Amino acid sequence: MVSGKKKVTEINKPYVKEQAREQERLQAASSKRQRGLVRRLTALSITGAVLAVIFTVMLVSQWSTLEAKKAERAELENELEELHAEESRLKQDVKNYNDLDYIAEVARRDYYLTKPGETLFKVPDESTD
């Protein structure tokens, strides 16, 4: 009686087992390498994100400081222009107060002073009535 199965003996059984063990070791090493890669990439990503946030905060802070300085500069330039105008007005006042005719005019107008023998008549300002 011959059955349909042939008996096959395994050749070099230790070699096959060794190859299987080697394959498992390679898969374990590959898995370990992949976990290490994932950890490194995660750490690098977190570090990059933290640095990006820090740089963004610094840039926004510097930008707001710059805008504040620009506004302050514009305000100070306006104040400087006003001071220049006041300086020129004060120089003109000094020049006028050194002029005797101007002083006499102010004395007549504001203090109603007259020269001897002179009569002062004050005429009301024109009105639109």
Side-chain angles (χ1 to χ4, degrees):
M1 284 197 63
V2 177
S3 69
K5 289 186 180 180
K6 289 185 179 181
K7 287 190 175 183
V8 178
T9 59
E10 291 183 20
I11 302 177
N12 291 333
K13 219 175 195 183
Y15 174 76
V16 173
K17 288 180 181 179
E18 184 181 325
Q19 289 297 320
R21 270 190 250 124
E22 183 68 23
Q23 188 70 22
E24 287 176 12
R25 187 182 62 76
L26 288 175
Q27 285 177 351
S30 173
S31 174
K32 191 174 184 181
R33 239 188 340 253
Q34 191 172 13
R35 276 183 278 152
L37 177 64
V38 169
R39 287 179 185 158
R40 284 192 303 271
L41 288 176
T42 303
L44 184 62
S45 298
I46 290 172
T47 303
V50 167
L51 288 176
V53 168
I54 289 172
F55 287 137
T56 302
V57 168
M58 287 174 54
L59 285 174
V60 168
S61 172
Q62 288 177 354
W63 179 78
S64 64
T65 302
L66 184 62
E67 289 299 317
K69 295 291 182 186
K70 284 181 181 179
E72 182 181 358
R73 180 180 177 164
E75 183 180 317
L76 289 174
E77 284 177 351
N78 288 338
E79 186 178 337
L80 181 64
E81 288 177 14
E82 291 173 5
L83 289 174
H84 280 303
E86 184 179 356
E87 180 187 21
S88 64
R89 184 188 58 80
L90 289 173
K91 283 183 179 180
Q92 184 63 37
D93 285 349
V94 167
K95 190 176 185 182
N96 288 341
Y97 288 130
N98 287 328
D99 184 16
L100 292 177
D101 292 332
Y102 178 78
I103 293 173
E105 179 187 329
V106 170
R108 284 189 182 100
R109 180 186 68 219
D110 294 341
Y111 301 110
Y112 304 107
L113 296 177
T114 60
K115 292 181 182 178
E118 181 180 58
T119 305
L120 182 66
F121 293 100
K122 185 77 172 167
V123 179
D125 293 334
E126 293 182 24
S127 65
T128 58
D129 290 341

